[in-house]
Every structure is written in structure tokens, then in C-alpha cells.
Amino acid sequence: MSHDHDHDDHDHDHDHGDGHVHPAAPMVEEITDFEVLEIAVCELAIEKGLFTAEDHRRFTEWAEQIGPAAGSRLVAKAWTDPAYKARVLSDPVGACKEIGIDWAEPTGSGTPSDYMNLRVLEDTPTLHHVIVCTLCSCYPRPLLGHSPYWYRSPNYRRRLIRWPRQVLAEFGLVLPPEVEVRVEDSNQKCRFMVLPVRPEGTDGWTEEQLAEIVTRDTMIGVALPRPGRTADDVRPVHKARRPVPHEGGAEAHP
């Protein structure tokens, strides 16, 4: 489900197109009901013999170590090869195989991916996409690895749909008013990733050079690629003022 936001009454006052870097606002540490449910379901599945604790450990390690490098390669290749870009937009799962990612068996040990419906959203100079999962944390893990903490937080999931420009500004991304912001809501059947606009100043770059500036956040849509930026900004995290209590009164933190 996509949500278009041409104008937003909650925009902050920023200079647009001034070339300045806007720092990211801090996040708030919080634990969600989904994280508690995930642990409970996992323990129950192991108890019922659906998979073993070793299976779960191996998959978790795979998900946490792959990172967004595959997605970066896909974007860089699409920027330099128009025919490949067309395949990325028309058959993303098939295009992934060309860079060594098989959604049917991403771990290499027979473990299937979340779902096989991937859609790549192409940005233009007048259209900017950003992805979210309002229900939980659906995410294109074979391409981008494990989702960042803030992507799973209720703070991001609830607010991005309502006030996308304000939330993007908190990430340091301030878009001109003439750029349409489209929020794409992932769901249980479909995964999304963003194909950002190739930045100026990269003419003649190799795919390897381009891939270095395609970071995870640019493929989620909360940042733009630019020469010299090869890592996502580290976002400060504040402790929650009213943390979720455990049974017995102890505070629960992620």
C-alpha cells in the first residue's frame, strides 16, 4: 500500500536545496510487543519441533552478517546498465539472481526467504520513495540483511505514514516541496526496496565505486546517496522515560 504526501502540515522549517547536511535526530529506546511475541513464538516452535535452536541460531547469524552489500551491488549495476535496470523493475527476483542472490535459497542451505514478491521502487528527481512496515517489520533481508532497530520501532512505523517529511527531516533528509514523497507499506506478501537517483559527480565511476555510496538507508529511503558518504549515520538513542515493565516490575530494554 502506498501513501502519497505532496504536502505535510507538520513540516519543519528548513532551507531546501542549500547543500547543508542536516544532522539526524535521536531515537528513543523502546521494546515492542512484536519483539516479545517473536521470542515466545520462537520458543514454542522449537518446543514443537518445527526447527531446532541450532537452526534458529544459524539463520539469525546469516541474517545479521549479510548486510546490505547485495542491494548496493544491484543499485550500482542498475545505474550503469539500462537493460539490467529494466529487468530490476520488471522482474526483481530474477534480476537478483544475476548478482548471486537467490530468494528461494538465500542462505545456501535450503532456508527459504520471507516471501518471493519483491518490488523495486524507482526514485526520480520529482518522486521520492520511503519504505515502512506498519504492522511489524517486513523487510527485504536477502538484499539488505537484518533490518535496523529504528525500522522496527513503533516510533518510525506509526509516524512515517502520517508525517513523512517530518520523520525524514529527523533523519537529516530535507526534500524540496516540489518532490513528491510516497510511502510504501510492506506487508506479509510483498517486500520493497528503493532504487535511488544516481547522484551528480559520479560520471565515469565503476560499479564498485558506486556500490560504496549505496548504503542501507538510501535503499530504505531515509537518506540520499552522495559522493563521499559510504556509511550510514549513527543515530543517538535516548533511554525511554517510561520503559515497558517486565513481570515483577523490572524494566525491559531491547
Side-chain angles (χ1 to χ4, degrees):
M1 179 184 297
S2 62
H3 306 263
D4 296 340
H5 298 268
D6 294 319
H7 303 284
D8 195 320
D9 295 336
H10 294 78
D11 287 354
H12 290 181
D13 292 327
H14 292 280
D15 292 331
H16 297 283
D18 56 8
H20 294 150
V21 176
H22 300 269
M27 294 288 288
V28 175
E29 184 182 60
E30 55 188 335
I31 190 168
T32 71
D33 292 341
F34 295 105
E35 290 171 308
V36 175
L37 180 61
E38 177 188 4
I39 295 172
V41 171
C42 178
E43 292 177 347
L44 181 61
I46 292 172
E47 180 182 327
K48 297 294 185 181
L50 299 179
F51 53 80
T52 67
E54 175 62 17
D55 292 334
H56 182 262
R57 182 195 64 77
R58 193 163 57 243
F59 182 82
T60 300
E61 289 181 353
W62 166 80
E64 291 179 349
Q65 62 86 27
I66 58 172
S72 300
R73 295 199 310 273
L74 181 146
V75 171
K77 186 173 178 63
W79 280 347
T80 58
D81 184 342
Y84 180 71
K85 176 182 174 181
R87 293 194 294 275
V88 164
L89 298 175
S90 63
D91 181 16
V93 172
C96 285
K97 289 185 178 181
E98 298 184 44
I99 59 167
I101 302 299
D102 185 350
W103 279 66
E105 197 175 321
T107 64
S109 59
T111 304
S113 175
D114 318 60
Y115 288 91
M116 298 289 288
N117 188 349
L118 170 68
R119 299 181 189 178
V120 176
L121 311 170
E122 182 184 12
D123 282 353
T124 72
T126 58
L127 174 63
H128 180 83
H129 293 91
V130 57
I131 63 173
V132 67
C133 179
T134 54
L135 291 179
C136 50
S137 58
C138 299
Y139 191 73
R141 285 183 289 182
L143 282 175
L144 302 189
H146 198 55
S147 61
Y149 162 73
W150 51 262
Y151 182 86
R152 304 187 299 273
S153 71
N155 182 26
Y156 176 80
R157 290 172 18 233
R158 295 169 182 168
R159 296 173 62 240
L160 184 71
I161 293 292
R162 298 182 65 188
W163 307 301
R165 290 183 183 270
Q166 176 180 331
V167 173
L168 290 177
E170 292 169 5
F171 279 88
L173 177 56
V174 179
L175 296 169
E178 63 269 19
V179 175
E180 176 188 346
V181 177
R182 184 171 297 171
V183 180
E184 203 71 44
D185 192 358
S186 304
N187 56 59
Q188 62 182 6
K189 295 182 179 180
C190 189
R191 302 291 183 265
F192 298 99
M193 70 163 279
V194 176
L195 175 61
V197 175
R198 179 172 176 171
E200 296 181 357
T202 59
D203 292 343
W205 283 28
T206 65
E207 282 187 26
E208 290 75 17
Q209 289 175 305
L210 291 169
E212 289 183 357
I213 65 171
V214 183
T215 65
R216 177 201 65 204
D217 286 3
T218 66
M219 294 178 282
I220 296 175
V222 298
L224 296 178
R226 65 174 185 267
R229 183 183 186 275
T230 59
D232 290 317
D233 298 329
V234 177
R235 306 201 70 207
V237 178
H238 289 173
K239 293 289 185 181
R241 293 182 178 179
R242 293 182 291 276
V244 178
H246 263 311
E247 292 183 8
E251 293 181 356
H253 297 285

